[in-house]
Amino acid sequence: MPGKVIAVSNEKGGVGKTTISVQLSMELAMEKGASVCLIDNDPSGDATTAVFGDNIPASIALGNKPEARANTLKLFTEESDFYPEQVSENFYMFGASDGLSVLKSADLEPAYTFLEAIEVLIEKFDYVIIDCPPSFGLLFTAAMFAAAHGGVLIPTVPDELAFKAAKKVVERVEMTNKRMNTNIKLLGVLANKVKRPAPLSVQHYLEQMENKFGDHFFKAKIDETVRISDAIAFQSKVSSAGKSSLKAAEQITAMTNELVARL
């Protein structure tokens, strides 16, 4: 059975989209034993840095050179030779460099090439996770095409701007389905970086999100915690070692379990 594609998207930066993409990938690979391929589809390369730190492999860092087989740009290039870099057991990755930015204003043809590459990858991996850029354009559209093989996860934070941005992504998904005759599934909206104890403003927006998104609003929520920030800083998975880390690890697991069930 072909694997599933999960496009992690929000049209606002700072909502923890990359953190969710990386921790979800590690949870699926390390705890669930699934084969996972993470694609950094953002020219900023934040997911690439989150996984490799300063030690970015040549297969990614060399950009559009022939030997850079694990650079995301290869997935958009016709007749290219691509293969992801192995991070750990079951966990592989295509990393981004700033060269990916040349595709922001390209026509749709590279998006179809990307979709063809995804269709190859889902024959080899249980999950292909795409960390999307925080803006609309070709890279976002390509990820939406690919998400027809799974769905879209929208991380957001409980504030006004992020709430509006999440609603916009939902509208983009609906518009793409209508115009392109696709069947992209909205996997749900995930509240991330939730302050605890929650001030009144946070409680207000959590209620607003639940009212707006209904069953699409995740029951699992990810609190704002230094444990998750530390995991990204040290290129590691959130650990359940120690009482102070246990809650963060449990939340990542709960989010992953709910997402898999929604798929």
Side-chain angles (χ1 to χ4, degrees), residues 10 46 173 230 253:
N10 194 312
D46 287 346
V173 171
D230 285 349
T253 298

Side-chain angles (χ1 to χ4, degrees), residues 15 64 180:
V15 299
N64 59 1
M180 306 302 295

Side-chain angles (χ1 to χ4, degrees), residues 38-94:
L38 172 62
I39 299 175
D40 188 348
N41 200 34
D42 187 342
S44 68
D46 287 346
T48 306
T49 302
V51 171
F52 294 108
D54 295 329
N55 301 312
I56 297 174
S59 62
I60 295 170
L62 292 176
N64 59 1
K65 293 186 178 180
E67 55 268 42
R69 299 172 65 199
N71 191 292
T72 302
L73 192 58
K74 296 293 184 179
L75 303 177
F76 289 91
T77 307
E78 286 187 337
E79 299 180 2
S80 66
D81 184 21
F82 59 84
Y83 193 83
E85 181 74 21
Q86 184 167 9
V87 180
S88 61
E89 185 178 5
N90 298 328
F91 182 24
Y92 293 74
M93 182 174 188
F94 285 97

